[in-house]
Every structure is written in C-alpha cells, then in structure tokens.
Amino acid sequence: MNHHSYFFFYLVVESLKRNKPKYKQIVDAAVVVIAENGYHQAQVSKIAKQAGVADGTIYLYFKNKEDILVSVFREKMSIFVENLQKILGADVSSEEKLYRMIENHFRVLHSDHHLAIVTQLELRQSNKDLRHEINNVLKDYLALLDRILAEGIEQGEFEKGMDIRLARQMVFGTMDEIITSWVMNDQKYDLMKLAPNVHRLLMKGMKAD
Amino acid sequence: MNHHSYFFFYLVVESLKRNKPKYKQIVDAAVVVIAENGYHQAQVSKIAKQAGVADGTIYLYFKNKEDILVSVFREKMSIFVENLQKILGADVSSEEKLYRMIENHFRVLHSDHHLAIVTQLELRQSNKDLRHEINNVLKDYLALLDRILAEGIEQGEFEKGMDIRLARQMVFGTMDEIITSWVMNDQKYDLMKLAPNVHRLLMKGMKAD
Amino acid sequence: MNHHSYFFFYLVVESLKRNKPKYKQIVDAAVVVIAENGYHQAQVSKIAKQAGVADGTIYLYFKNKEDILVSVFREKMSIFVENLQKILGADVSSEEKLYRMIENHFRVLHSDHHLAIVTQLELRQSNKDLRHEINNVLKDYLALLDRILAEGIEQGEFEKGMDIRLARQMVFGTMDEIITSWVMNDQKYDLMKLAPNVHRLLMKGMKAD
Amino acid sequence: MNHHSYFFFYLVVESLKRNKPKYKQIVDAAVVVIAENGYHQAQVSKIAKQAGVADGTIYLYFKNKEDILVSVFREKMSIFVENLQKILGADVSSEEKLYRMIENHFRVLHSDHHLAIVTQLELRQSNKDLRHEINNVLKDYLALLDRILAEGIEQGEFEKGMDIRLARQMVFGTMDEIITSWVMNDQKYDLMKLAPNVHRLLMKGMKAD
DNA sequence: CATGAATGAGCTTTCATTCAT
DNA sequence: TATGAATGAAAGCTCATTCAT
C-alpha cells in the first residue's frame, strides 16, 4: 500500500469513527463480542479490538469493565423504553397498547440476534452488583408497563381488583421466558408470529370460555 | 465397552455415589456456601470446608466444579418433581392441579431461603454450558406441567386451541419472575399468599369480564 | 557536529530553557505534586495540570519524566550550593563554616516543607538510574563540604590525619538522617534548634572529656 | 533421563527443599532477584522461578508481594539484631560495644553483596507504606543502639549531656551513608578496614586535639 | 509553541485441579 | 478412600509518551 492509498484508507476509517463516536463504537463492539464469545470470554482486549481502539482508550470512556456492561444494557434498553413511550402516547385501547408492547419487545430482539443473546443469556451471568444495576435500568421499562395496566383498570378494560405487580410480573415473566426459550433453541422458529397468541393468553387466560 | 454397558456402568456408579453420605454432604454444603457467599465466591475449597472434607475428596464424588452445581440443581429439583408427580396422581380437576403446582412451587422455595437464593439468583450466573445442563434437569419438571395442560385441554377445562408450549412458558415464566422478585426484595412479603391470585390471573387473564 | 559544538549548543539550549517561565513553572509544579501525592502518585498529567499546561507541553521542556525529577533536584540543590559558596567565602574559621553549613542545610528544608518531603522521602523512591543522576548533582555540594574539611585540616583546626571522605560521609550522613527522621515525624519539633548540638557532636564526638 | 534417574534427582531436589523450608527459600530468592534485577524489576514470577516454586506457591506463604519484601527485611535485619544483642551482653566498655556494632554492621553487609544492594539501594525505592513497615523493623535495632549510648553515659564514658537521639542518628546516619557510598561505588574498596576510623571519628569528632 | 486524545506494554493474584502420600 | 500442598494459566487497568491538529 503506498502512502496515498494509506491516506485515503485512513480518511475512510476516520470518518467511520467520527460518525460513530467512540462511546457508541465500544458499546456496539461489546454486544458483538459478548454475543459471540460469551460473557466470561468477553475480555476488555477483545472488545477494544472489535471496536478498533486500543485497550486504554476504553478507559477514557468507561470507568471499568462493569461500566461497559451496564452501558450496553442501558443503551439498548433505551430502545425498548422509547418505543414503549410512543406506544403509550397512541390513541388506542389499553389492550391494544399491551399488544403493541409485546410485539415491540419481540421485534427488537428478533431483529438483533446478537442483542437477544446478550440480554437473555449472557448478561444474566453478571455478578449481583451488576444485576442490581441492570434491574435499575429495567425499572423504567416496567414502570411504563405498570402505566398501561393502571390505565386499563381505570378504563374498565382490565379486571378491576387486579394486583398490578402480579400482572406486571406475569406479562414480563411470560415474555422473558418465551424469548429465552427461543434464544436457547437457537432462534429456530419465528418469534414474531407468537405475539398474538401470547397477547390472547395474557388477556383471557387459559380457561376455556 | 460398548455404549450399553457404559450406560449401565454409569447408572450403578451414579446410584452408588448418591447413596454415599458424603455425596449428599457435599451437595448440601454447596447450597449453603453458594447462598451465603454468592456464586462467584463459592470456591471449591469453601464447599469442602463446609462439608467437612478435604478439597481433593470433592473430586472423588464429582467430575469437576460444574458437576457439583448441576448436582445441586438436580438433587433439589427432584423435590419439585416428586411433589408434582403426587399432584398429578390426585383425583382433582386440572385447574386444581395447576393451583397445587403453583402452591407447591412457592412453598418449597418459601420454606428454604438458601435454596431460593441459589436457584433464583446464584445459579443463573453460571455459564451457558451449565445453564444448558440445568435446563435439561428442568425438562422433567416442565414435562409434568405439560401433562397438566394437555389433560386440561382434553377434559375441556382449558382453551381448546391453546398452544401448550406457550402456556407452559407463561405459567413457568410467571412463577419464576414472581419468585425472583420476591427473593430480590429480600423475601420481605408472604409469597404463599400470592398463590390464589397468580392462579386466577393465569386461568382467567387480565381482561375484565 | 563535533563534541565541542555540541557542548556549546547544549549550554545555549539549557540556558534558554531555564529562563523560560514554563520550565520553572513545571519544576515548581512537580515539587508540589510529589510532596502532596507522593512519588508514585505524581503522574505527568498531574504535574501538567498543576503547572497549568497540557501534558504534551511537558515534553517540549523535558526529555521524559525522569528529566523532570532530576531537574527538580538540580534546581533546588542549587539553593544549597549557592548558599554554601557564600559561606565558604566568609572570613571565618572552618569550624564556623561547618556550623553555618549545617545551619543553612537545616534552614532551607525547615522553611520549605514540600521540598523537605520531596528530597528526604519521595525522590528516594526513584530507580537506580535516577538516583545516580541525583548523586551527580549532589557531588557539587559535597565537593564544597570537602573544601571546608580540607581547609580545616590545613589550618590545624581539624584532626590532621582525618580521612576526608569518611568525615564528609559522617557530616552528610548525620545531617541527612536527622532531617529524614524529622520529616518522618511529621516535622513536629524544631529542626533549627538542633544545629548547635549536631555541630558539637560532629566536632568533639561522643566521648566524655 | 530415565525414570530412575528422575527419581533420584527428585529426591535430591526435595531434600534441598525440605532442609530449607519454602518460606526461607522464597525470602532468599527475593534477595537475589531484587539485587540482580532491581526493586522495580523484581516481579513475583521471577522470585518464584528463582525459588524453584510456582507463582501460586508464593501466596501460600505470603499475603502479597509487599509481605515478601517486608519479610526480606525482617528476616535479614534479625541477623543484625541478634548479633547486636550478643554484643550488648559482652563484658566490655560501651566504647568497645559501639566499635563491635559498627564492625558487625559492616561485616554482615560486606559478606553478602546481594543483601547490601537490597538494603542500601533497592528496598528504599519501596512506597511509603512499605517504608514505614521497614522502619518499624529498624526500631528494634536502633533501640539496642540507644542502650549502648545510655549505658555509656551512665558509666561516664560518653559525654554526660549528650542528646541520645541525635547521637543515635549520627551513628546510624554515618554508617548508612558510608555503606551506601560503598555500594554505589560497586563495593570497590574494603569496607571492613574503615571501621576503626569510623569509630574514632564518632568518638572523638573531627576537631584537632 | 501548545494541545490532549489515543496508544499499548506490563504484572499481581486467584482458584480449579492434581497427585504423592 | 482421603488428604492438602502445590500448581500455573489468565486478565483488568494505568500512565508515560506521541503526534495530528
């Protein structure tokens, strides 16, 4: 490679970097590395290499390794939260909002296999401290789910005396278990197609009419 | 040795091991150590000390550390499976069987705080391989749940077209999420009291009548 | 460039540097940072920040970090040397000159706590190379001490057959040990008051008359 | 090497090890490694290799690296202390005791070049915490020196009004400076021969009679 | 002259597992 | 069977120095 081609190569690489600030670059690299190597094999050096930066550069943007992992969760979770906020703002029934939530939850993970592996399998191997951090991030999401449920009760769509915490745990626990199974089965079947049935089960339960 | 004789040899050795008091001693010690120190602080040497044996002795009964952990899960899961088998044999409706399953699941973990911490929080930090192993153990339990669901459909108690896999994931995911939340909240409230409501939600869903 | 022209070039560059305010700024910043944070916590970035310059600027004035530290020692040592030169020029006995030297040595460090910490404790943590450099700087000072001793012998004030090197090591070793103890005791007592006794001990020894 | 010769080789190595318990083995290895590589290049792995043990074995005998270094100082210092205790017990004048102390101090370091390098140059590069530890160890030694001085005053051998702390600092500072210079000059001259002159200087001072 | 973002080499310590007794 | 001393691989983080701007 002569020094001209090096120069242009440099420009391309640089503009890629500039368009994706290093912070995002590293977070995205972490998702890929964790998904492909597993949580315990996701060394900082691997993440750095994947991000195209030096090991030390990581520490200009993150306090420590745990900080990277929490950031991964926070950054990606914000996709769910933002979508859910839009759904909440829509002028539709609570039942429809719940449906859209399930559908959104499934779609985001369906469309990003790496992310699905990371959130459903890998990040759960983190230690208790990190898991508490992750739970804090989750709280925002679950608070929005609670709002759907509360509004549904208010509008008479959902069972009047329903325990919101239990209902939330049923909705989230169900979605989570279904997605984890799907990931552990190597994402063989079409997750999206399950949404209507899941929604129906949650709304009307298992009892025959 | 062909694979048949290997299989029988395996069965004999396994049953011998499990009858030996030290095997159980070590498994029980592992539960205590993991519950009190957390998964990542549960070194083999700590388990050995708690069991009152030398480090090396562990390896006379277990192939490696992962083998201890899988054994913990298998031994303890058998309590759930045995109870559930009794429930299945009872002459009651499928709905009642489901209720008893939930009640049993909650009760076992409610009555053994160490076990609850280990199964809901600590063992989930294990790596993918171990979690696949654990899932295999779980399968027996979930197969029994599937039988309740299939019988319920057959007898017209549960929705005819219901997807059994989804329903199973809803039931298990809901129970699991509820128990995990309870453990993470330091087991502050009475888990047992939730069983009727959980059962009602799973049966009739959230929709107002 | 032959070694003569190199030598003069060196002199010019050196004198240019030392007149530049930033050079002194950085040396003074280094003293403060080392005294307050300790040798091993005195990162180049901290010194730069304390001096109010960018990290990179340091390298316009110093070859590397070691060069800063040697410069600190050289700059500060020159105070001792200059004072000692004045003392040597005074028209007093050698014994009096020795007294004034001790008194000066104590006074300079007594009046600059930061400097005392840096020279007695922190700079001694440097590696062998740097300590050899520091010793070179010290040589000028010790050479002046040797002159006091030689003159004293010549004038019949000091013991005729006295080994000058040993005597120098006794004088310097004694002063150094006393000051280091004083610094390690957090400079609790009055160093200056010790000068007469130290002088007396060095002159007449411990033996009872 | 056939397995017989391996066996005998093994016996020899083992008996060497057994005669020198691992603790001492490691301390001695540390002295050699520090002397030959310098304090900052004395990695735990090098010490382990020199001691003929695995890295991990170090940590069966020492809390951490600092613990090795403190132990080096403590173990070696005890030679000085034990010798000095014998000297104190001798039925000779205080002046003679002082002489023997100097002679002993010089001899121990003169006879172990590695140790001389380690105590005079390398260990002084340790951080403040370690140096405080080292100072604690030194205190025992200096306390014995103080006893010689106090007894000398009592018996009218040493100057009546003499400040013991100052005198101790003169004696130790002088010895220390002389030895350090000798080490920095690559131990070129005969340290032992200096003892009488040093003693004379300390006793009678520099002043001409 | 001055900047400061980026670099990347380097090392202590833990702990699952082995194996001579 | 049981022991427990010994092993040795493996990784997060710091910071002196550079160099494009």
Coordinates of all heavy atoms in Angstrom, one line a residue, chain A residues 94-96 98-99 102 148-149 152 157-159 162 170-171 196-206, chain B residues 170 200-209:
Chain A
S94 N -56.1 0.1 26.0 CA -55.0 -0.4 26.7 C -54.7 -1.8 26.3 O -53.5 -2.2 26.3 CB -55.4 -0.5 28.2 OG -55.6 0.8 28.7
E95 N -55.7 -2.6 25.9 CA -55.4 -3.9 25.4 C -54.5 -3.8 24.1 O -53.6 -4.6 24.0 CB -56.8 -4.6 25.0 CG -56.7 -6.1 25.0 CD -58.0 -6.7 24.7 OE1 -59.1 -6.2 25.1 OE2 -58.0 -7.8 24.0
E96 N -54.8 -2.9 23.3 CA -54.0 -2.7 22.1 C -52.6 -2.3 22.4 O -51.6 -2.7 21.8 CB -54.7 -1.7 21.1 CG -53.9 -1.3 19.9 CD -53.6 -2.5 18.9 OE1 -54.4 -3.5 19.1 OE2 -52.7 -2.4 18.1
L98 N -51.0 -3.0 25.1 CA -50.3 -4.2 25.6 C -49.8 -5.1 24.4 O -48.7 -5.6 24.4 CB -51.2 -5.0 26.5 CG -50.5 -6.2 27.1 CD1 -49.5 -5.8 28.2 CD2 -51.5 -7.2 27.7
Y99 N -50.7 -5.2 23.4 CA -50.3 -6.0 22.3 C -49.1 -5.4 21.6 O -48.1 -6.1 21.3 CB -51.5 -6.0 21.3 CG -51.1 -6.8 20.1 CD1 -50.9 -8.2 20.1 CD2 -50.7 -6.1 18.9 CE1 -50.5 -8.9 19.0 CE2 -50.2 -6.8 17.8 CZ -50.2 -8.2 17.8 OH -49.7 -8.9 16.7
I102 N -45.9 -6.1 23.5 CA -45.4 -7.4 23.3 C -44.7 -7.5 21.9 O -43.6 -8.0 21.8 CB -46.5 -8.5 23.4 CG1 -47.1 -8.5 24.8 CG2 -46.0 -9.8 23.0 CD1 -48.4 -9.2 24.9
I148 N -49.6 1.1 31.6 CA -50.6 0.5 30.8 C -51.7 -0.2 31.6 O -52.9 -0.1 31.4 CB -50.0 -0.5 29.8 CG1 -49.0 0.3 28.8 CG2 -51.0 -1.2 29.0 CD1 -48.3 -0.6 27.8
L149 N -51.2 -1.0 32.5 CA -52.1 -1.8 33.4 C -53.0 -0.9 34.2 O -54.2 -1.2 34.2 CB -51.2 -2.7 34.3 CG -50.3 -3.7 33.6 CD1 -49.4 -4.5 34.5 CD2 -51.1 -4.6 32.7
G152 N -55.6 0.6 32.0 CA -56.6 -0.4 31.6 C -57.6 -0.7 32.7 O -58.8 -0.9 32.4
E157 N -61.1 -1.8 31.2 CA -60.7 -2.9 30.2 C -60.1 -4.1 31.0 O -60.3 -5.3 30.5 CB -59.7 -2.4 29.2 CG -60.2 -1.4 28.2 CD -59.1 -1.0 27.3 OE1 -58.5 -1.8 26.6 OE2 -58.7 0.2 27.3
F158 N -59.4 -3.8 32.0 CA -58.7 -4.9 32.8 C -59.5 -5.1 34.1 O -60.1 -4.2 34.6 CB -57.3 -4.6 33.1 CG -56.4 -4.4 31.8 CD1 -55.2 -3.7 31.9 CD2 -56.8 -5.0 30.6 CE1 -54.4 -3.6 30.8 CE2 -55.9 -4.9 29.5 CZ -54.8 -4.2 29.6
E159 N -59.4 -6.3 34.5 CA -60.0 -6.7 35.8 C -59.9 -5.7 36.9 O -58.7 -5.3 37.2 CB -59.4 -8.1 36.2 CG -60.0 -8.7 37.4 CD -61.4 -9.2 37.1 OE1 -61.7 -9.5 35.9 OE2 -62.3 -9.2 38.0
M162 N -57.5 -6.3 40.0 CA -56.2 -7.0 39.6 C -55.0 -6.4 40.4 O -54.9 -5.1 40.5 CB -56.0 -6.8 38.1 CG -54.9 -7.5 37.5 SD -55.0 -7.3 35.7 CE -54.2 -5.7 35.5
M170 N -46.4 -11.2 35.6 CA -46.9 -12.2 34.6 C -46.6 -11.8 33.2 O -46.0 -12.6 32.4 CB -48.4 -12.5 34.7 CG -49.0 -13.5 33.7 SD -50.7 -13.9 34.0 CE -51.5 -12.4 33.4
V171 N -46.8 -10.6 32.9 CA -46.6 -10.1 31.5 C -45.1 -10.2 31.2 O -44.7 -10.8 30.2 CB -47.1 -8.7 31.3 CG1 -46.6 -8.2 29.9 CG2 -48.6 -8.6 31.4
P196 N -49.5 -12.6 18.8 CA -51.0 -12.6 19.0 C -51.4 -13.7 20.1 O -52.2 -13.3 20.9 CB -51.5 -13.0 17.6 CG -50.4 -12.6 16.7 CD -49.1 -12.8 17.4
N197 N -50.9 -14.8 20.0 CA -51.2 -15.9 20.9 C -50.8 -15.5 22.4 O -51.6 -15.8 23.3 CB -50.6 -17.2 20.5 CG -51.5 -18.0 19.6 OD1 -52.7 -17.7 19.5 ND2 -50.9 -18.9 18.9
V198 N -49.6 -15.0 22.5 CA -49.2 -14.6 23.8 C -50.1 -13.5 24.4 O -50.6 -13.6 25.6 CB -47.7 -14.0 23.8 CG1 -47.3 -13.4 25.1 CG2 -46.8 -15.1 23.3
H199 N -50.5 -12.6 23.6 CA -51.4 -11.5 24.0 C -52.7 -12.1 24.4 O -53.3 -11.7 25.5 CB -51.6 -10.5 22.8 CG -52.5 -9.4 23.2 ND1 -53.7 -9.3 22.6 CD2 -52.4 -8.3 24.1 CE1 -54.4 -8.2 23.1 NE2 -53.5 -7.6 24.0
R200 N -53.2 -13.0 23.6 CA -54.5 -13.6 23.9 C -54.5 -14.4 25.3 O -55.3 -14.2 26.1 CB -54.8 -14.6 22.8 CG -56.3 -14.7 22.5 CD -56.7 -16.1 22.0 NE -57.4 -16.9 23.0 CZ -56.9 -17.5 24.1 NH1 -55.6 -17.4 24.3 NH2 -57.7 -18.2 24.9
L201 N -53.4 -15.1 25.4 CA -53.2 -15.9 26.7 C -53.2 -15.0 27.9 O -53.9 -15.2 28.9 CB -51.9 -16.7 26.7 CG -52.0 -18.2 26.2 CD1 -50.6 -18.8 26.2 CD2 -52.9 -19.0 27.2
L202 N -52.4 -13.9 27.8 CA -52.3 -13.0 28.9 C -53.7 -12.3 29.2 O -54.0 -12.1 30.3 CB -51.2 -11.9 28.6 CG -49.8 -12.4 28.6 CD1 -48.9 -11.4 28.1 CD2 -49.4 -12.9 30.0
M203 N -54.4 -12.0 28.1 CA -55.7 -11.3 28.3 C -56.8 -12.2 28.8 O -57.5 -11.9 29.8 CB -56.1 -10.7 27.0 CG -55.3 -9.5 26.5 SD -55.1 -8.2 27.8 CE -56.8 -7.7 28.1
K204 N -56.9 -13.4 28.2 CA -58.1 -14.2 28.6 C -57.7 -15.4 29.4 O -58.6 -16.2 29.8 CB -58.8 -14.6 27.3 CG -59.1 -13.4 26.3 CD -60.4 -13.6 25.6 CE -60.5 -14.9 24.9 NZ -61.7 -15.1 24.0
G205 N -56.4 -15.6 29.6 CA -56.0 -16.8 30.4 C -56.2 -18.1 29.7 O -56.5 -18.1 28.5
M206 N -56.0 -19.2 30.4 CA -56.0 -20.5 29.8 C -57.4 -21.1 29.9 O -57.6 -22.1 29.1 CB -55.0 -21.4 30.6 CG -53.6 -20.8 30.6 SD -52.4 -22.0 31.2 CE -53.0 -22.3 32.8
Chain B
M170 N -45.8 -19.4 29.8 CA -46.4 -18.4 30.6 C -46.5 -18.8 32.1 O -46.1 -18.0 33.0 CB -47.9 -18.1 30.1 CG -48.6 -17.1 31.0 SD -50.2 -16.6 30.3 CE -51.2 -18.0 30.7
R200 N -55.5 -17.4 39.6 CA -56.6 -16.7 39.0 C -56.2 -16.0 37.7 O -56.8 -16.1 36.6 CB -57.2 -15.7 40.0 CG -58.7 -15.6 39.9 CD -59.1 -14.1 40.2 NE -59.6 -13.4 39.1 CZ -58.8 -12.8 38.2 NH1 -57.5 -12.9 38.3 NH2 -59.3 -12.1 37.2
L201 N -55.1 -15.2 37.8 CA -54.6 -14.5 36.6 C -54.2 -15.4 35.5 O -54.6 -15.1 34.3 CB -53.3 -13.7 37.0 CG -53.4 -12.2 37.4 CD1 -52.1 -11.7 37.8 CD2 -54.0 -11.4 36.2
L202 N -53.6 -16.5 35.8 CA -53.2 -17.4 34.7 C -54.4 -18.1 34.1 O -54.5 -18.3 32.9 CB -52.3 -18.5 35.3 CG -50.9 -18.0 35.7 CD1 -50.1 -19.1 36.5 CD2 -50.1 -17.6 34.4
M203 N -55.4 -18.3 34.9 CA -56.6 -19.0 34.4 C -57.5 -18.1 33.6 O -57.9 -18.4 32.5 CB -57.4 -19.6 35.5 CG -56.8 -20.8 36.2 SD -56.3 -22.1 35.0 CE -57.9 -22.5 34.3
K204 N -57.8 -16.9 34.2 CA -58.8 -16.0 33.5 C -58.2 -14.8 32.8 O -58.9 -14.0 32.2 CB -59.8 -15.6 34.6 CG -60.4 -16.7 35.4 CD -61.8 -16.5 35.8 CE -62.1 -15.2 36.5 NZ -63.5 -15.0 36.9
G205 N -56.9 -14.6 33.0 CA -56.2 -13.5 32.3 C -56.5 -12.2 32.9 O -57.2 -12.1 34.0
M206 N -56.1 -11.1 32.3 CA -56.3 -9.8 32.9 C -57.6 -9.1 32.5 O -58.0 -8.1 33.1 CB -55.1 -8.9 32.5 CG -53.7 -9.5 32.8 SD -52.4 -8.4 32.6 CE -52.6 -8.0 30.8
K207 N -58.2 -9.6 31.4 CA -59.4 -8.9 30.9 C -60.5 -8.9 31.8 O -60.8 -9.9 32.5 CB -59.8 -9.6 29.6 CG -60.7 -8.9 28.7 CD -60.9 -9.6 27.4 CE -61.7 -8.6 26.4 NZ -60.9 -8.4 25.2
A208 N -61.2 -7.8 31.9 CA -62.4 -7.7 32.7 C -63.5 -8.5 32.1 O -63.6 -8.6 30.9 CB -62.8 -6.2 32.8
D209 N -64.3 -9.1 33.0 CA -65.3 -10.0 32.4 C -66.3 -9.2 31.6 O -66.8 -8.1 32.0 CB -66.1 -10.7 33.6 CG -65.1 -11.4 34.5 OD1 -64.2 -12.1 33.9 OD2 -65.2 -11.3 35.7

